Amino acid sequence: MARKLTTLGIVGLLLGLGCSNSRTVNSDQATISLSPGSLHFVANAGGANPSSQVVAVTNSGTGSLTYQVSNKASWLETQTLGSAPDTIYATAYVGSLVSGEHYDTIVVTATSKASNSPQRIPVRFTISGAIGIAPEVVKFSMSAGGPLPPAETLYITNNGGGPLDFTATESAPWLTVTPTSGSAPDTVLVGLDTTGLLSGVYGHDLVFTSAQAANSPFVVPCSLTVIGWTQQYSLHSFDFRGLTFIDELRGFVVGFIPNAPDPTGVMLGTKDGGATWNQVGPSYSGTTLGGIDFTNSTYGVAVGDSGKVLISADGGDHWEPHTFDKSWMLWKVDMLTPDTGYAVGRSGLIIKTIDGGRGWTPQNSTVTTSLADLQFFDTQEGFVVGNNAVILHTTNGGQLWEAVPSGVGASLWGVSFVDRQHGWVVGDSGRVLVTTNGGTSWTPQTSGSNIEFRSVQFVDLNYGWAVGPDGVIIHTQNGGATWQQQISGTDQWLFGVHFLNNRRGWAIGAYGTIITTFSGGR
């Protein structure tokens, strides 16, 4: 029995060995090998698709290996030839996927005998949130000291999904942002605080940051162009020679239509500080208008060639035309009261009215040269300047005009006094003269130019401006000790300048040019 058992045990052992050998033979088949064993894609929500990735498929067993691949997610695409050795191309598409983690599995299933089919490749697609901002650039332009342009609205969007909190950071003192933080979608207002800002070009980056946005920080470039002088009007059919403003809203310019068969005078008026200009009254055939002045808010007089005088008693809404001696070529007028005023012009002409401009009497100027400008302190004392370096002075209402040595040999075109002692005169060859003793003597100042200055105005002992050809404007803040040129924004002849204070002013010239400043041109 024992022997029999022994024999049976031996037989069982041999059978066991035989079965083991049979399984080894049956395992002689293909084995799927994949490298890498997983995939990870990364992209921004709403952004570009990531690059495709590849998985190498090899047969680490024997025989041949054919297979097929499959996956469930619509954002994942796979391509392969299906016969090892081979490559699986995997492509992930961003599409409308929201931010976060997205998962899928590529299943590799053998279509021939394989010992380890199917095999799985885990795929992870990380979508990062992305902040979107429109517009992506902010540009402002304004007149220095003038009205602020409206704030710019930035639209903040979340191009991913899920939460996206942001913070807006600005460090430029002229830039304002409201609010400075929020959660997309949202809007942000970008505005200006230009207090004390001078003319120039300014730039700054507005930075948006978000911990949930892959494209953080998002930079929005901001720029601000501040212009010292801005153009209010330009009509080439007009030339302007005289201007005055009653206040910051109401003003008038006078001139003519150049190159017309007959001289034709024109007047424009504004009631909104020059934002709009409209022709006042008819065109005046047979004359050119050169000067205008108001003695108060209602009474004004304009003068021109061929003895033309216009009178208004209602703030310039209506003008009453008068024609005197047609040989009178009148260029400038200065009204001291509603009754008394003076006008000057060609060939040494000085005329005076004591009835509000309805009657005029010529005076003996003692010169025959053309007289370009005048200024009176009261009805009795004033100065007149003109060609050939002429400066005339009267203290008795023009009964006697005395010549004052100017010390220069250039024609003089403009005069401006701020009180009885301090005044300036400008003229050809960049001449600027100053008096500090009531016109008894005149001292040259260095203007830094050699052009023909046509007009000058000072508003106090420090602040003054002079204008001339090619849009040149010079300015002083120290009574003319030094002068600096300003950017006028025009290349036309400028014939007149008028300031209400050291910030608000206008200049006029050829081709219908009217320019203005809210900052003294700075």
Side-chain angles (χ1 to χ4, degrees), residues 25-38:
V25 171
N26 291 339
S27 67
D28 187 14
Q29 56 189 307
T31 301
I32 301 172
S33 294
L34 304 173
S35 180
S38 63

Side-chain angles (χ1 to χ4, degrees), residues 239-402:
D239 266 8
F240 297 131
R241 297 303 171 96
L243 81 159
T244 189
F245 267 77
I246 299 171
D247 52 39
E248 289 204 14
L249 297 179
R250 292 183 298 163
F252 298 87
V253 297
V254 294
F256 57 93
I257 301 175
N259 305 318
D262 293 317
T264 303
V266 292
M267 178 188 298
L268 270 60
T270 181
K271 293 183 178 181
D272 54 16
T276 57
W277 291 90
N278 299 290
Q279 187 166 336
V280 178
S283 299
Y284 297 95
S285 180
T287 187
T288 63
L289 299 179
I292 185 170
D293 188 44
F294 275 76
T295 187
N296 54 36
S297 62
T298 59
Y299 203 87
V301 173
V303 300
D305 289 354
S306 301
K308 181 67 71 176
V309 175
L310 308 175
I311 301 171
S312 176
D314 60 4
D317 289 339
H318 302 88
W319 292 85
E320 174 187 331
H322 295 266
T323 302
F324 298 94
D325 190 330
K326 289 193 174 183
S327 68
W328 292 356
M329 303 298 176
L330 301 171
W331 290 348
K332 289 293 184 292
V333 60
D334 188 8
M335 294 299 296
L336 289 312
T337 72
D339 294 321
T340 303
Y342 299 81
V344 298
R346 191 174 300 173
S347 302
L349 180 63
I350 303 176
I351 59 176
K352 179 180 180 179
T353 182
I354 57 173
D355 59 1
R358 291 174 175 81
W360 295 83
T361 302
Q363 296 187 325
N364 182 16
S365 69
T366 71
V367 298
T368 58
T369 189
S370 293
L371 302 176
D373 200 8
L374 74 165
Q375 183 173 343
F376 275 73
F377 307 127
D378 53 35
T379 60
Q380 297 299 306
E381 184 178 9
F383 285 85
V384 171
V385 299
N387 294 167
N388 299 328
V390 165
I391 300 178
L392 303 177
H393 180 219
T394 184
T395 58
N396 54 16
Q399 296 181 44
L400 177 64
W401 286 94
E402 295 181 335

